[in-house]
Amino acid sequence: MSELASGSPAQPEPEFDAVVIGGGPAGSSVATLIARRGHRVVLLEKERFPRYQIGESLLPATVHGVCRLLEVSEELEKAAFMVKRGGTFRWGANPEPWNFLFAISPQLSGPTSYAYQVDRMVFDEILLRNAARHGVDVREESAVSAVLRDAHGRASGVRYTDTDGTVRTVHGRFVIDASGNTGRLWNEVSSDRHYSDFFKNIAVFGYFRGGKRLPGPDRGNILCAAFDEGWCWYIPLSEELTSVGAVVHRSNAALVQSDRVQALHDLTSRCDIVADYLSAATRVTEGVHGQVRVRKDYSYSTGSFARDGMLLVGDAACFVDPVFSTGVHLATYGGLLAARSVNSVLAGELDEATVMDEFERRYRREYTVFYEFLTAFYDMQQHENSYFWNARKVTSLGETDLEAFATLVGGVASGDRGLTPAARLAGASRDLAGAVAATGPMQTESGERMTSLFRAPVVADVMTEMNQIQTRGVLGEQANETPVLPGGLVASQDGLGWLR
Amino acid sequence: MTVPGPATAEALRAQVAEVLDVPAADLGEHDDLLETGLDSIRLMTVVEWFRHHDVQIEFTDLAETPTIAAWTSILGTATGAGQGVGA
């Protein structure tokens, strides 16, 4: 797949500092943040935007963290996305739904205590046009087919097919693969990808008009409701439109694929709260939102996220699971880390090995803390006689998944608790279940206070970096960070590079 | 943000005053800082101040009792009476 650049021994100066493959949130983030330092960036996107994509529920770290650094906040506000104050979960021992709110309490909220539910056609295009406005050379309908390497084996550019069908090459000092979960170029960085059996599922989803809303201030929340076959998401995209999906065991794949419309109807009708909310709704059958789609949410992590001048960001690097809306966060966070590392090298401030190590370890740490949190989250849900839920107990984790988790935890030193991986995960699940019980149902006095939840170590780990980048987004140069990794780096004053 | 000096009760008070943009002398020991304008982002900067002094605390530790008195007590416990910055 990779090729040596042919021609004279003297390497010509590459025309770009960074070549970014893919124009989704990861790609547009990394491209914009490198361009903001005045570097030359080209971004190659295979489709013409706007285009459909799933992954609609965001977290504050994206909206107030990365998007502020992207200088796109005003555009996002103008888009008038549905405001989300948290997630509502019909999940676990209590039949009553409970909330996970972004604000620790109504009294102690702040400018980052909300996020958005987004139509990704709109959101992704806003970010891509914003990249172009920041000087990124955005080329749509430009599908990358191969990575080029110099005489030393370092990634030096890519080959792509442009909108006219002409095959072209473009060169840069760094190549950043943000080509998503269908991309194949991750193999250029590492041939090793661990796929999780635990999170392996299939999602079938569509759109409805006239669905009900959660009461009061929770009307913009994502609702995730567990049922016997799996769980459903219910995401209010506007007053009228709701995105609805059912996530079930991968063994249902053939059945689901044979009649997607029927499968979506059947599965949502088995999930009481979602069935109720859709009782007077009608499915959209026209246009982009009219299709019922399927996605196999394979969960994986690539063995290495950076090597020899090439970096992986977004789903090209790793993906955990849709249940806590972490996909776009992980993707944009990876983009931020990658940009900081590339910028530091381009500025001659820090050596490449040091900053690539920081990129790799911080990114892997974030993946790990979410992996742990989501494992505990699934384990919390009780359901006898359910194939889906019995396969999602910590005790069902297979050897390879446990080994992979042990490696992740060992590598990122996220608190050695002196336990086996299984015991550690079981403890996290108990902590989380206890915290949910202590919090109580939605819209009660205790249910509005997130102290118990935020205290659970598995949640606190997940919030560490998310809080740090939100603070950076709001306070800018006034923010003062501490290293996330032992002996690691901190962000530079402008947030776009690294410092020792 | 101020360059961190030693982790004293006075320095903490000065830091909180700066974050809230009020004179340090106006902050009562037991005033509810939420009423003085503390929000989640400002609270995070105080968390950062503690961490710069090698005191490993979480957001929830400060959020539960948002008063100068409570936070000074956390600092005292962490650094130890008469000693420098804790391990």
Side-chain angles (χ1 to χ4, degrees):
Chain A
M1 275 253 255
S2 70
E3 303 177 14
L4 295 180
S6 59
S8 60
Q11 313 277 13
E13 174 75 12
E15 62 268 34
F16 291 101
D17 296 308
V19 176
V20 177
I21 308 166
S28 56
S29 294
V30 66
T32 305
L33 296 174
I34 297 174
R36 272 199 61 197
R37 276 273 187 99
H39 302 303
R40 303 155 301 158
V41 185
V42 62
L43 185 156
L44 302 163
E45 162 55 46
K46 70 179 183 218
E47 300 194 60
R48 163 94 24 212
F49 277 27
R51 61 87 182 92
Y52 177 82
Q53 187 52 278
I54 193 64
E56 295 156 322
S57 198
L58 305 186
L59 297 178
T62 304
V63 175
H64 305 285
V66 180
C67 286
R68 288 201 187 211
L69 287 176
L70 296 176
E71 301 181 315
V72 77
S73 299
E74 245 183 77
E75 287 292 310
L76 293 182
E77 271 169 60
K78 282 200 297 220
F81 294 119
M82 178 67 74
V83 173
K84 166 189 180 186
R85 76 163 184 151
T88 299
F89 295 93
R90 206 297 52 223
W91 198 283
N94 196 340
E96 287 301 309
W98 51 276
N99 278 343
F100 189 110
L101 303 176
F102 301 133
I104 192 173
S105 72
Q107 297 76 26
L108 189 54
S109 61
T112 69
S113 295
Y114 69 92
Y116 294 131
Q117 313 288 13
V118 299
D119 177 337
R120 288 281 302 276
M121 281 181 62
V122 177
F123 180 77
D124 288 16
E125 185 170 27
I126 289 174
L127 262 53
L128 190 64
R129 304 302 168 218
N130 179 65
R133 273 202 308 278
H134 278 84
V136 175
D137 179 345
V138 174
R139 303 181 188 178
E140 290 168 89
E141 290 176 323
S142 298
V144 173
S145 54
V147 172
L148 307 173
R149 293 190 182 273
D150 67 15
H152 307 287
R154 182 187 170 87
S156 63
V158 301
R159 170 174 297 111
Y160 72 98
T161 305
D162 77 8
T163 184
D164 300 321
T166 310
V167 176
R168 297 189 181 283
T169 60
V170 71
H171 295 85
R173 293 180 57 186
F174 288 93
V175 173
I176 302 165
D177 178 14
S179 60
N181 79 335
T182 57
R184 309 273 292 274
L185 296 171
W186 56 268
N187 279 284
E188 293 287 328
V189 171
S190 166
S191 56
D192 170 38
R193 223 184 215 187
H194 175 77
Y195 287 84
S196 161
D197 277 332
F198 187 84
F199 290 114
K200 196 171 186 176
N201 54 35
I202 184 167
V204 56
F205 47 97
Y207 296 82
F208 292 80
R209 287 202 194 293
K212 291 184 192 173
R213 292 282 171 261
L214 287 161
D218 291 325
R219 63 187 304 97
N221 290 4
I222 180 170
L223 167 63
C224 291
F227 68 110
D228 57 355
E229 302 279 354
W231 60 275
C232 289
W233 77 68
Y234 187 94
I235 299 173
L237 293 179
S238 70
E239 291 305 318
E240 265 303 297
L241 191 67
T242 310
S243 168
V244 182
V247 179
V248 296
H249 198 274
R250 60 191 174 276
S251 61
N252 290 296
L255 197 65
V256 164
Q257 294 276 30
S258 66
D259 189 341
R260 300 171 171 198
V261 173
Q262 192 62 41
L264 182 62
H265 174 81
D266 286 347
L267 293 170
T268 53
S269 69
R270 298 178 70 128
C271 180
D272 291 348
I273 184 169
V274 171
D276 173 44
Y277 273 43
L278 289 177
S279 55
T282 52
R283 195 178 69 80
V284 175
T285 51
E286 310 275 303
V288 168
H289 291 127
Q291 279 188 59
V292 173
R293 295 175 173 85
V294 164
R295 179 132 151 188
K296 291 179 210 162
D297 282 312
Y298 289 143
S299 175
Y300 53 84
S301 170
T302 309
S304 189
F305 296 155
R307 192 169 66 83
D308 292 339
M310 181 167 170
L311 295 79
L312 305 178
V313 298
D315 287 3
C318 58
F319 179 77
V320 192
D321 187 83
V323 79
F324 211 77
S325 306
T326 58
V328 174
H329 161 63
L330 266 181
T332 52
Y333 177 68
L336 170 64
L337 297 177
R340 284 178 174 170
S341 296
V342 167
N343 284 341
S344 289
V345 175
L346 293 174
E349 285 162 357
L350 287 167
D351 65 283
E352 188 164 333
T354 302
V355 299
M356 289 305 149
D357 185 58
E358 186 78 20
F359 162 72
E360 177 93 45
R361 291 199 301 141
R362 278 214 196 197
Y363 201 178
R364 205 165 290 282
R365 179 196 167 279
E366 197 74 354
Y367 171 82
T368 305
V369 300
F370 276 103
Y371 189 99
E372 185 166 19
F373 176 51
L374 295 176
T375 304
F377 198 79
Y378 271 105
D379 185 79
M380 260 181 62
Q381 168 63 7
Q382 320 284 332
H383 209 300
E384 291 173 10
N385 307 321
S386 162
Y387 193 48
F388 181 91
W389 293 107
N390 286 328
R392 277 163 188 75
K393 303 303 292 176
V394 166
T395 45
S396 307
L397 277 163
E399 271 312 304
T400 49
D401 274 355
L402 279 172
E403 266 172 47
F405 178 66
T407 308
L408 285 171
V409 167
V412 297
S414 55
D416 176 16
R417 304 196 188 129
L419 300 167
T420 64
R424 181 186 163 123
L425 289 165
S429 172
R430 272 196 308 275
D431 287 346
L432 199 49
V436 170
T439 301
M442 64 186 290
Q443 299 198 354
T444 59
E445 218 198 302
S446 65
E448 291 283 314
R449 307 188 68 84
M450 297 291 109
T451 314
S452 298
L453 278 169
F454 287 11
R455 270 205 178 291
V458 73
V459 176
D461 281 347
V462 140
M463 297 188 65
T464 307
E465 267 290 66
M466 295 206 290
N467 283 352
Q468 194 148 253
I469 68 182
Q470 283 167 66
T471 309
R472 165 70 57 179
V474 172
L475 299 180
E477 305 210 346
Q478 308 269 306
N480 203 356
E481 300 175 16
T482 45
V484 168
L485 304 165
L489 307 174
V490 291
S492 59
Q493 268 232 295
D494 63 356
L496 302 174
W498 295 117
L499 278 180
R500 273 195 204 286
Chain B
M1 176 131 173
T2 43
V3 173
T8 62
E10 287 74 33
L12 172 59
R13 169 182 280 276
Q15 178 56 36
V16 175
E18 179 177 320
V19 160
L20 293 176
D21 198 24
V22 297
D26 286 3
L27 286 173
E29 284 287 300
H30 300 282
D31 287 353
D32 181 341
L33 296 172
L34 301 183
E35 285 172 22
T36 320
L38 188 73
D39 67 16
S40 58
I41 289 288
R42 289 184 173 84
L43 186 57
M44 285 184 217
T45 63
V46 181
V47 172
E48 285 308 318
W49 184 93
F50 272 88
R51 289 195 180 144
H52 268 284
H53 290 95
D54 288 326
V55 180
Q56 289 312 314
I57 54 145
E58 296 299 337
F59 183 85
T60 46
D61 298 323
L62 300 189
E64 288 205 288
T65 44
T67 67
I68 297 274
W71 295 358
T72 306
S73 162
I74 292 173
L75 184 63
T77 309
T79 59
Q83 289 169 357
V85 177

